[in-house]
Amino acid sequence: MTTSTIHRSSHLASRPRGGRTGPGRSDGGRRAHEAAEDLCGAVFGSLRRRDQREKGLQYVRGLLATPGRKSIRNIAQQIGGPAAEQSLHHFIAGSTWDWQPIRTALSQYLEQSSPLTAWVAQPMAIPKGGEHSVGVGRQYDPHRGQMFRGQQAFGIWFTSADVVTPVGWRLYLPDEEGAAAGAAEFEGGERSGETYEECAVTGVLDAVREVGVPARPVLLDIQNIGTRSTMNRFADARLPVLARISPAARLLVTDPALPGHGAGTLAARDVLQNVRALRTVVEWADPLYPGQRRTSLVAAVRVMMPDPSPARRRHLTLLGEWTDARSMPSQLWVTDLARPVPVTPAVLLRMTKQARRVSASSAHSVQEVGLRDFAGRSLQGWHRHVTMASVAHAARCLSETGMPVGRDLV
């Protein structure tokens, strides 16, 4: 779908504004519901039937209005009871509409509203105790460094000067899910036998390819994902990437003037510790505490990843951040980013803080729109639910920024 194909539903656009809100609704809730109606009208163009667009709007409104867990039953109670529950269940779990055009339209709409700064990919752990949800298992959450029982998903977030909201999703399926389904590839794009890293990288690349906006850096805020395989896949896709790297990852120092050059492969943490004398102080705004400025010590080193193929031995930059000058670096990243010129350590460090913006947003808003609340064995149902929840999240985000919503995209 191109930008020119995104249009507002005439039915949704004609709804009088006075009918959007009920008595007692807060100004924030009213603005979110107004933004939701306008946003749904703009991004639901791929839903060809009027009743599907109506159901989509109902579902998004229900996600915004329902207190507590956003199950289909609880949403239905907000908008019409048992009959609505059956109708909404079919819309999410039993219908055939494609969620990808809606995600694409959402990204394109946001790009025109507030141009993209960077894509940010983060894992989202979804704790679940039962056996009746797709992808449930005992899994390790590297973002928090602990085991849990539930699902593991990867969110692809659109970040700009004004907007931080998810626009793409991929669910990590343990091997037994693929074996039970008896299929090599699922309708959502997930593949049987994918590793955790393959699932994350494929999810990001697929989401970004679909959107068709100008290339922007991808920030992989996923522990230890800055491997040779990941960096090569992004290079092949011609997408600049900034990825977390394991302290133990082996690298080659390429600058003859720096310690470690000619010494063979070194652990990333040792490469950075060898250049502590080159660290500079960088100030940055903390998204977790608006208005507060913090400082870190930062160093950047030109490196290569060892590769059997000489053609793939590309120059990269290893970035280290220290919050305690006497300790090991607290954050390690690797990137092939070459623009803007020069890409200074300060520019790279501040770019990594986009991940902190996503963490700040998800901490208070993911539960509010029910991104973790789908229950069911249907992978397609999960994708449709998180797509609607992403639209609800974007509507809430746009309403909080005070940006105009509801402009036609032409």
Side-chain angles (χ1 to χ4, degrees):
M1 174 182 288
T2 63
T3 301
S4 62
T5 64
I6 305 173
H7 60 278
R8 297 180 55 144
S9 160
S10 59
H11 176 74
L12 297 181
S14 65
R15 185 184 301 275
R17 289 184 180 271
R20 291 175 179 174
T21 59
R25 180 173 293 164
S26 68
D27 285 346
R30 175 182 57 79
R31 288 194 300 270
H33 278 256
E34 290 179 355
E37 184 164 343
D38 290 330
L39 188 58
C40 288
V43 305
F44 284 172
S46 61
L47 299 177
R48 297 182 178 180
R49 299 205 320 262
R50 173 177 169 174
D51 67 300
Q52 288 182 322
R53 295 192 293 273
E54 286 286 353
K55 289 294 186 299
L57 175 59
Q58 286 181 339
Y59 201 84
V60 170
R61 279 177 155 181
L63 289 168
L64 291 169
T66 302
R69 185 167 174 267
K70 322 294 183 183
S71 67
I72 292 177
R73 174 170 295 179
N74 290 343
I75 292 171
Q77 288 176 352
Q78 290 288 316
I79 64 174
E85 180 180 352
Q86 183 177 3
S87 177
L88 290 181
H89 184 273
H90 180 267
F91 175 72
I92 294 296
S95 190
T96 59
W97 58 267
D98 187 356
W99 53 85
Q100 187 55 56
I102 294 176
R103 296 178 185 179
T104 299
L106 177 60
S107 297
Q108 292 175 344
Y109 184 95
L110 295 171
E111 168 68 13
Q112 291 203 2
S113 300
S114 181
L116 178 70
T117 300
W119 304 101
V120 177
Q122 275 190 358
M124 182 176 75
I126 309 172
K128 287 187 181 294
E131 301 285 344
H132 302 296
S133 295
V134 61
V136 166
R138 183 162 175 78
Q139 306 190 44
Y140 178 70
D141 179 7
H143 207 59
R144 293 172 176 79
Q146 61 187 27
M147 296 296 296
F148 76 103
R149 179 168 182 78
Q151 299 161 310
Q152 186 75 268
F154 295 100
I156 297 89
W157 291 66
F158 182 106
T159 69
S160 69
D162 302 296
V163 173
V164 179
T165 194
V167 293
W169 294 94
R170 192 175 181 90
L171 189 65
Y172 174 57
L173 300 179
D175 286 345
E176 57 267 24
E177 288 284 336
E185 182 168 351
F186 298 85
E187 191 171 329
E190 288 82 352
R191 294 179 181 86
S192 174
E194 277 185 324
T195 66
Y196 183 88
E197 178 182 338
E198 288 169 344
C199 181
V201 173
T202 301
V204 174
L205 292 177
D206 286 352
V208 174
R209 284 192 195 105
E210 289 285 345
V211 175
V213 302
R216 294 291 185 271
V218 176
L219 191 68
L220 297 180
D221 185 26
I222 302 167
Q223 292 295 328
N224 305 335
I225 201 170
T227 66
R228 185 175 68 197
S229 173
T230 291
M231 301 306 289
N232 285 344
R233 288 188 66 185
F234 275 89
D236 292 342
R238 300 183 182 276
L239 273 175
V241 62
L242 180 59
R244 289 188 178 274
I245 190 171
S246 166
R250 310 297 292 185
L251 300 169
L252 293 164
V253 177
T254 60
D255 187 341
L258 293 181
H261 181 263
T265 62
L266 299 172
R269 59 173 172 262
D270 295 333
V271 171
L272 290 168
Q273 285 293 88
N274 287 341
V275 297
R276 284 177 296 176
L278 302 180
R279 295 179 297 187
T280 58
V281 177
V282 175
E283 186 179 68
W284 48 278
D286 190 347
L288 295 179
Y289 303 94
Q292 290 195 21
R293 312 265 322 164
R294 301 192 184 278
T295 59
S296 297
L297 289 169
V298 183
V301 185
R302 296 291 281 171
V303 296
M304 281 185 177
M305 286 185 172
D307 197 304
S309 170
R312 286 193 175 274
R313 294 174 190 168
R314 297 174 294 105
H315 285 278
L316 303 169
T317 299
L318 172 67
L319 179 75
E321 176 186 4
W322 286 258
T323 53
D324 183 341
R326 297 164 297 180
S327 301
M328 301 294 286
S330 56
Q331 306 277 350
L332 294 88
W333 302 79
V334 65
T335 183
D336 59 4
L337 192 65
R339 294 179 182 179
V341 179
V343 183
T344 64
V347 168
L348 292 175
L349 178 73
R350 292 181 184 124
M351 190 174 295
T352 69
K353 301 311 174 184
Q354 295 289 338
R356 202 166 170 91
R357 288 183 71 201
V358 169
S359 296
S361 176
S362 63
H364 79 271
S365 62
V366 162
Q367 196 59 39
E368 291 179 2
V369 297
L371 277 162
R372 293 188 176 95
D373 289 348
F374 178 75
R377 293 294 298 174
S378 166
L379 180 61
Q380 294 80 9
W382 181 84
H383 273 288
R384 294 191 183 101
H385 171 84
V386 295
T387 298
M388 293 293 109
S390 297
V391 173
H393 191 285
R396 183 181 293 278
C397 179
L398 291 169
S399 69
E400 290 173 351
T401 63
M403 295 174 60
V405 184
R407 292 171 292 173
D408 290 333
L409 300 184
V410 295

